[in-house]
Amino acid sequence: MRVVRLLAIGSALMMAASGCTSEPSLKEVAAQLQKDTQRLEADDVFKNPLKKLRILQRPDKDIPCAKDGFRRVLRATADYQRSKEEVLDSHLDGAQRLMENTLSQTLGYRMEYDISQADAPEGRFIHGSKEIGIIVNVYVAPEAPTWRLHAQTACLRR
């Protein structure tokens, strides 16, 4: 029993001395968000020029937050053109599903579904996250641009 306790203490000290923590580094999380940006740009849906994907802010700069912390931010817009005969609710439903599928299946985000906003004519909100420390929020608007995406890392030390 004494040996097990000594091994546990020794390994904890080794991890602390080597800088191992359970929290990922800003560098790791930022690299993941940059990879997500590249995947979004390369996705078949958003490669289509009709979607008018615009990256407004790339996650390539550290933004100060909290005490001694930094985060990275991705902001983008894209459009999902509505046909003249399409009902607004159907258009918003389709745009919401398409973005949720892209975020979950292509980019690997865990989605949080909110059925209370179903059929809301003023737009829909999509929320998702990655365990590594990234959250994504998308506003699905009834007017162009249809999607207004904001993703950010947690506030982390460098």
Side-chain angles (χ1 to χ4, degrees), residues 3-4 24 32 48 62 80 103 119 136:
V3 172
V4 171
Q32 180 62 57
N48 181 340
D62 293 345
Y80 187 60
L103 290 172
D119 302 328
V136 63

Side-chain angles (χ1 to χ4, degrees), residues 24-37 39 59 71-74 103 107-110 112 127-137 149-156:
S25 71
L26 177 64
K27 184 177 180 180
E28 291 172 301
V29 182
Q32 180 62 57
L33 188 55
Q34 288 174 334
K35 188 184 215 180
D36 290 349
T37 304
R39 280 187 181 147
R71 72 172 29 124
R72 296 283 182 100
V73 175
L74 163 65
L103 290 172
L107 303 179
Y109 283 85
R110 186 181 68 243
E112 299 169 20
H127 306 284
S129 62
K130 281 191 172 182
E131 280 188 35
I132 194 168
I134 301 172
I135 58 167
V136 63
N137 294 297
L149 183 141
H150 182 272
Q152 69 181 27
T153 67
C155 188
L156 300 166

Side-chain angles (χ1 to χ4, degrees), residues 36-136:
D36 290 349
T37 304
Q38 292 166 349
R39 280 187 181 147
L40 183 68
E41 291 174 305
D43 185 62
D44 287 340
V45 171
F46 294 99
K47 276 195 314 191
N48 181 340
L50 294 175
K51 297 295 185 250
K52 300 176 190 165
L53 176 66
R54 286 187 54 220
I55 305 296
L56 305 173
Q57 182 176 355
R58 291 193 172 277
D60 55 5
K61 292 183 182 135
D62 293 345
I63 299 169
C65 59
K67 184 180 179 184
D68 300 326
F70 295 89
R71 72 172 29 124
R72 296 283 182 100
V73 175
L74 163 65
R75 289 185 326 112
T77 62
D79 200 28
Y80 187 60
Q81 219 165 11
R82 179 178 165 199
S83 67
K84 292 181 183 186
E85 56 277 345
E86 186 177 25
V87 177
L88 178 60
D89 185 51
S90 296
H91 173 70
L92 290 172
D93 286 347
Q96 180 180 355
R97 270 192 310 276
L98 182 57
M99 181 56 76
E100 285 172 342
N101 288 340
T102 299
L103 290 172
S104 64
Q105 294 172 11
T106 304
L107 303 179
Y109 283 85
R110 186 181 68 243
M111 305 311 301
E112 299 169 20
Y113 298 100
D114 179 6
I115 60 167
S116 69
Q117 62 179 344
D119 302 328
E122 61 275 358
R124 318 284 166 77
F125 291 95
I126 298 171
H127 306 284
S129 62
K130 281 191 172 182
E131 280 188 35
I132 194 168
I134 301 172
I135 58 167
V136 63

Side-chain angles (χ1 to χ4, degrees), residues 4-30:
V4 171
R5 212 175 308 150
L6 285 174
L7 285 173
I9 291 170
S11 65
L13 288 173
M14 291 284 289
M15 286 177 59
S18 68
C20 291
T21 63
S22 60
E23 185 177 276
S25 71
L26 177 64
K27 184 177 180 180
E28 291 172 301
V29 182

